[in-house]
Amino acid sequence: MFSRSAARVLKNSAVGGVAGFRRSMATAPQKVPMSVHEPSKYINYQRIEDNLEIVRKRLNRPLTLSEKIIYGHLDNAAEQDIQRGVSYLQLRPDRVVCQDATAQMALLQFMSAGIPEVAVPSSVHCDHLILGENGAESDLARAKDVNKEVYDFLATTCAKYNLGFWGPGSGIIHQIVIENYAFPGALIIGTDSHTPNGGGLGAAAIGVGGADAVDVMAGIPWELKCPKAIGIKLTGRLNGWTSPKDIILEVAGILTVKGGTGAIVEYFGPGVDSVSATGMGTVCNMGAEIGATTSVFPFTESMHRYLVSTKRPEIAEASRQFAHNLRADEGARYDEVVEINLSELEPRLNGPFTPDLMTPLSKFKDTAKEKDWPEDISACLIGSCTNSSYEDMTRAASLAKEALDAGLKVKSSFIVTPGSEQIRATTERDGILEIFRNAGGSILANACGPCIGQWARHDIKKGDRNTIITSYNRNFTGRNDGNPATHGFVASPEVVTAMAFGGSTNFDPLTDTLTTPSGKPFKFTPPNGSELPSRGFDAGQDTYQAPPANRDQVSVKVSPESQRLQLLQPFKPWDGKDIENVPILIKVKGKCTTDHISMAGPWLKYRGHLDNISNNMLIGATNSENGEANKVRNQVTGEFDAVPATARYYKAHNIPWIVIGDENYGEGSSREHAAMSVRFLGGAAVIVKSFARIHETNLKKQGLLPLTFNNPKDYDRINPEDKLSILGLKDLAPGKSLTLRVTKPSGESIDIVVDHTFNENQITWFHAGSALNEIAKSNK
């Protein structure tokens, strides 16, 4: 559905780099603090310089930007095998960032490893547990009360183990990171799938599970399969209604939700210079929707301006000095190149139910009628980690003020979520939020809120068909409000704001008019805004807690009676035997994201309690046997029951079980609970047509067997009542397939070839029962 006039796709292409590229540099900038919060921790550009000198001699070819950053952080550049899409790289990231929902399990795992403090700069951000309902002030107060036990745990654990702590109200993790921690050339890992937002400042910021974060916090090299490189060449210039959001909506439409799997998406070309740093963050943030490892932009003057504006002038100057390693070499080769002419790109709306179903705005009203999407727009929501920059807010406000001046108010519910306390305070000072209020909008707390299902919605009943348009990143079924009948569309904040005044999918703000109270026609003019605030940023309230100088007296307590937190018990090591004649818990049909495997929304409160959160395991997945969710047959009793209840029955009777899945299984969030719950309730393996990257790694980390059908058509040869055996585990080795023996109720058996991507190190996780067990063993 994408416009061929705006984009074209090339395979295995070498492209020109940036004029003035220099092959090497004898020295790199020295003694530049990583952030204002860690003045004694320094950016190590020299390590990148030294590693790349080794890698260039070994590979003897031009390097992409993503290769420079990733290879620049190799643990052992001289001996590391480097083959795109093949090698497993051992890396030394600069930083770990955790949001409060995933931080609970990550820190519980770190505590159980017996390590006194984190080995790299790390931080925790309280953004996921704040329910959006009545407005910022009351919602935040309620969250502090309801989540006090969890916030106290996170605050004291951070203090004990030397992490920075951003309390509730600080803002969304990714906005805080780009405002304080990201820098050009950084390698950051975060326990949230939208960590790639840091690519807006030229960082390779990668979403991972909590177990990966524990590796890095424990000082162990982090493992990543050597990414392929997808180049997005931008030409032309953004103008008029078109925004950075439309770039990634276009890319998602071209590459689909799994087109970026196993690759870093790297933007380059003359069009890059028309995109602001925060706009680049938007583009990189939503790279998670195409399954990309991460996304990056080369160093630009807009990054320099943003760093200076956020009180990091030393980093801005050091990045400028180091710019030769912060962009691709001339002639660097990509596995695939997509060219997009920004001058010809028009606004897009993606959805419903998937972020890669792309419709140009000019065709939206006709497509909506053709597809019978609900015409009335019940809610329009802007902000989130994806689009809450000062530029986003001012461009959206320009439209709202124009409509207000004509006497118009919004027709749809209009909700605004500032991304951080800094953005809230600055937009409040500059009158931006007041414009939204006057238009009929409501302002929520600086938190994730409706973007992740933390939305206490009262205007729509579950099951009612309705349309919402957001500037968020995800629109899976039920994602925002828990209602599977809500048709969610993703667009830029500007388009969302204009559609709030139109109130209908039958309204095109670029061409159509509205009638003012005086009876006059009103037509929007293109939005305009400011890249950065002319008076600088207002930091607002200080919600940051630095680790204390003396951490010995800090105590971390978890009550045995707590329903929110639970200390972890190690999973059992592999028993040395094949898995034989075990039942299928569920054969999943169709899309199965991490939202289906381990829902968010009301379940967020159990993210630190493995037993309790396991009660949501796979309750959203569709059972192929009956086409229903959360209703599977117990293969022992013959009775149908909920998926977690059936799994608990098997576990109580010492019966391992297996999940069968479809394509791109585990797409979506980084949440490791989707893997941990399967392991906790007795799962042995997950066998699918294909995996999303993060989820496959998470399964390995928890001692499970993530396997793929060598022939995807073999999925159809398996029925839910079959018994399965996985043979050849004693000889588990990299690249060596296993045998899946399928025994039918008649006694007939068939053998199917299943593959895996375990390397030698990951096999030790399986043998030990989990990666955490292996870490704990090495620290004894």
Side-chain angles (χ1 to χ4, degrees):
M1 293 180 66
F2 64 89
S3 169
R4 287 288 179 183
S5 64
R8 64 193 185 103
V9 181
L10 307 170
K11 297 287 186 179
N12 294 312
S13 295
V15 299
V18 179
F21 161 74
R22 290 178 291 166
R23 182 176 179 83
S24 64
M25 184 178 181
T27 61
Q30 302 293 312
K31 288 287 185 180
V32 178
M34 292 179 72
S35 81
V36 296
H37 303 291
E38 297 140 345
S40 62
K41 304 290 185 181
Y42 301 103
I43 295 174
N44 195 349
Y45 277 150
Q46 190 62 52
R47 174 179 60 180
I48 296 177
E49 188 77 51
D50 294 343
N51 273 358
L52 292 184
E53 183 177 355
I54 296 169
V55 170
R56 288 186 191 284
K57 291 177 181 177
R58 292 184 56 199
L59 298 184
N60 194 31
R61 62 169 174 78
L63 300 176
T64 68
L65 168 61
S66 54
E67 288 182 311
K68 288 183 177 182
I69 299 175
I70 297 299
Y71 303 162
H73 287 81
L74 287 170
D75 182 52
N76 185 345
E79 298 180 9
Q80 172 69 61
D81 181 54
I82 302 173
Q83 297 180 68
R84 282 188 196 169
V86 177
S87 308
Y88 281 87
L89 307 179
Q90 299 290 310
L91 302 168
R92 292 288 184 179
D94 296 299
R95 176 176 298 282
V96 175
V97 294
C98 308
Q99 41 97 332
D100 51 356
T102 52
Q104 296 170 64
M105 195 58 69
L107 292 178
L108 286 165
Q109 291 179 89
F110 182 81
M111 289 167 60
S112 67
I115 300 168
E117 68 174 300
V118 294
V120 302
S122 304
S123 56
V124 168
H125 305 258
C126 296
D127 60 358
H128 274 56
L129 300 179
I130 302 170
L131 183 70
E133 184 174 18
N134 298 314
E137 187 174 345
S138 62
D139 291 347
L140 182 57
R142 180 180 181 275
K144 289 179 177 179
D145 178 50
V146 171
N147 302 311
K148 184 179 187 304
E149 178 186 16
V150 172
Y151 292 149
D152 286 348
F153 167 75
L154 294 174
T156 54
T157 307
C158 287
K160 182 70 174 177
Y161 295 101
N162 204 27
L163 294 86
F165 177 73
W166 293 81
S170 301
I172 307 173
I173 177 173
H174 313 304
Q175 184 68 24
I176 296 291
V177 168
I178 203 169
E179 290 174 354
N180 294 273
Y181 294 131
F183 62 85
L187 177 59
I188 300 171
I189 68 166
T191 60
D192 189 280
S193 54
H194 293 101
T195 301
N197 193 81
L201 275 183
I206 302 176
V208 299
D212 277 8
V214 171
D215 282 357
V216 180
M217 289 190 291
I220 297 171
W222 175 59
E223 188 173 81
L224 175 72
K225 193 169 188 178
C226 189
K228 295 182 179 180
I230 296 176
I232 309 291
K233 183 177 182 179
L234 303 181
T235 61
R237 187 174 185 82
L238 287 175
N239 61 85
W241 282 85
T242 307
S243 76
K245 185 62 161 269
D246 299 305
I247 299 173
I248 187 58
L249 295 180
E250 170 82 333
V251 171
I254 296 169
L255 295 181
T256 78
V257 291
K258 62 178 184 177
T261 302
I264 292 180
V265 176
E266 181 177 318
Y267 292 82
F268 66 96
V272 164
D273 290 329
S274 71
V275 186
S276 66
T278 52
M280 295 177 193
T282 294
V283 175
C284 293
N285 179 299
M286 267 196 73
E289 299 350 297
I290 59 172
T293 301
T294 193
S295 302
V296 293
F297 276 83
F299 177 74
T300 65
E301 284 305 303
S302 69
M303 293 183 189
H304 188 279
R305 291 192 295 272
Y306 186 78
L307 287 165
V308 172
S309 184
T310 51
K311 298 179 174 59
R312 292 173 285 175
E314 298 90 349
I315 297 178
E317 288 306 310
S319 299
R320 184 179 274 166
Q321 293 176 42
F322 199 61
H324 63 288
N325 276 330
L326 300 174
R327 55 193 174 215
D329 288 348
E330 186 80 34
R333 181 169 292 277
Y334 297 89
D335 298 282
E336 181 178 353
V337 171
V338 176
E339 293 189 13
I340 298 176
N341 186 338
L342 300 182
S343 299
E344 298 175 356
L345 186 66
E346 69 171 284
R348 271 92 171 95
L349 292 96
N350 286 27
F353 308 125
T354 184
D356 61 345
L357 180 60
M358 189 278 294
T359 305
L361 179 57
S362 61
K363 298 180 180 179
F364 185 67
K365 65 166 69 175
D366 291 336
T367 305
K369 289 179 182 178
E370 177 189 336
K371 301 293 186 181
D372 191 31
W373 294 333
E375 183 175 327
D376 290 339
I377 301 172
S378 61
C380 290
L381 305 95
I382 67 170
S384 84
C385 67
T386 319
N387 278 108
S388 60
S389 69
Y390 189 80
E391 181 179 45
D392 290 329
M393 292 299 181
T394 54
R395 281 174 61 87
S398 74
L399 299 173
K401 186 176 188 306
E402 186 179 38
L404 270 174
D405 290 346
L408 296 171
K409 292 287 184 76
V410 292
K411 295 177 181 177
S412 306
S413 173
F414 185 51
I415 297 173
V416 180
T417 305
S420 69
E421 171 60 9
Q422 179 168 278
I423 288 294
R424 184 212 61 79
T426 305
T427 52
E428 190 73 83
R429 180 198 67 192
D430 294 351
I432 304 303
L433 296 187
E434 191 61 21
I435 292 173
F436 293 141
R437 291 190 192 98
N438 291 339
S442 60
I443 312 301
L444 296 184
N446 317 320
C448 300
C451 184
I452 59 159
Q454 285 284 65
W455 185 14
R457 192 177 185 190
H458 303 298
D459 60 318
I460 295 291
K461 295 179 181 178
K462 193 167 185 177
D464 288 352
R465 295 178 80 246
N466 72 105
T467 288
I468 66 172
I469 304 179
T470 80
S471 70
Y472 301 165
N473 40 47
R474 281 200 178 133
N475 57 348
F476 300 141
T477 302
R479 167 80 178 185
N480 303 118
D481 61 3
N483 180 10
T486 293
H487 292 53
F489 296 87
V490 177
S492 69
E494 300 94 314
V495 168
V496 175
T497 301
M499 296 299 278
F501 286 92
S504 168
T505 59
N506 199 37
F507 174 65
D508 183 345
L510 275 70
T511 60
D512 297 345
T513 60
L514 299 171
T515 302
T516 66
S518 63
K520 295 181 180 180
F522 167 82
K523 183 173 180 289
F524 283 109
T525 58
N528 62 83
S530 301
E531 177 184 341
L532 297 165
S534 60
R535 291 191 284 164
F537 284 106
D538 182 340
Q541 298 180 33
D542 185 5
T543 54
Y544 174 72
Q545 170 191 290
N550 183 358
R551 296 180 287 109
D552 294 339
Q553 304 305 313
V554 179
S555 176
V556 179
K557 296 180 180 178
V558 175
S559 169
E561 288 77 39
S562 174
Q563 294 301 302
R564 300 288 302 272
L565 299 163
Q566 181 186 50
L567 295 175
L568 296 175
Q569 297 298 318
F571 292 132
K572 292 181 180 179
W574 177 53
D575 63 6
K577 301 175 182 178
D578 285 338
I579 298 165
E580 298 193 65
N581 213 36
V582 302
I584 297 168
L585 176 66
I586 182 173
K587 181 184 178 185
V588 178
K589 179 182 179 182
K591 183 185 280 284
C592 190
T593 71
T594 48
D595 280 359
H596 295 89
I597 306 169
S598 182
M599 290 183 176
W603 293 94
L604 281 171
K605 62 178 175 284
Y606 297 127
R607 285 288 180 85
H609 198 293
L610 183 55
D611 195 0
N612 283 343
I613 200 170
S614 294
N615 287 323
N616 78 356
M617 185 197 70
L618 284 160
I619 63 176
T622 300
N623 181 10
S624 66
E625 183 175 3
N626 53 19
E628 297 184 47
N630 202 26
K631 188 176 181 181
V632 295
R633 188 190 304 273
N634 184 316
Q635 301 301 331
V636 176
T637 67
E639 301 294 323
F640 279 93
D641 203 344
V643 181
T646 305
R648 288 184 186 276
Y649 176 93
Y650 292 148
K651 180 180 180 180
H653 291 80
N654 296 313
I655 302 171
W657 45 264
I658 289 173
V659 172
I660 301 296
D662 214 317
E663 293 277 7
N664 206 31
Y665 184 90
E667 167 194 347
S669 169
S670 68
R671 70 190 64 146
E672 63 190 318
H673 304 78
M676 293 188 79
S677 291
V678 171
R679 181 77 160 100
F680 179 73
L681 293 185
V686 180
I687 307 173
V688 302
K689 293 180 182 178
S690 64
F691 282 105
R693 174 189 64 86
I694 298 176
H695 188 62
E696 182 183 25
T697 300
N698 284 348
L699 291 168
K700 291 178 183 178
K701 289 276 185 178
Q702 302 307 330
L704 284 151
L705 289 166
L707 306 174
T708 55
F709 295 107
N710 182 270
N711 180 354
K713 293 181 179 179
D714 285 335
Y715 168 91
D716 298 317
R717 302 173 70 188
I718 297 175
N719 297 317
E721 67 272 16
D722 295 340
K723 294 292 180 66
L724 304 181
S725 301
I726 300 174
L727 310 178
L729 291 179
K730 292 181 181 180
D731 299 316
L732 183 62
K736 187 175 182 179
S737 298
L738 297 169
T739 298
L740 176 67
R741 180 158 294 162
V742 182
T743 302
K744 301 293 182 180
S746 65
E748 173 197 2
S749 66
I750 56 175
D751 285 353
I752 290 173
V753 177
V754 289
D755 299 325
H756 65 84
T757 59
F758 280 98
N759 61 28
E760 291 286 359
N761 184 50
Q762 293 168 348
I763 290 172
T764 67
W765 304 343
F766 172 69
H767 289 163
S770 72
L772 185 60
N773 287 359
E774 188 68 17
I775 292 174
K777 185 170 63 175
S778 65
N779 279 284
K780 286 183 178 178

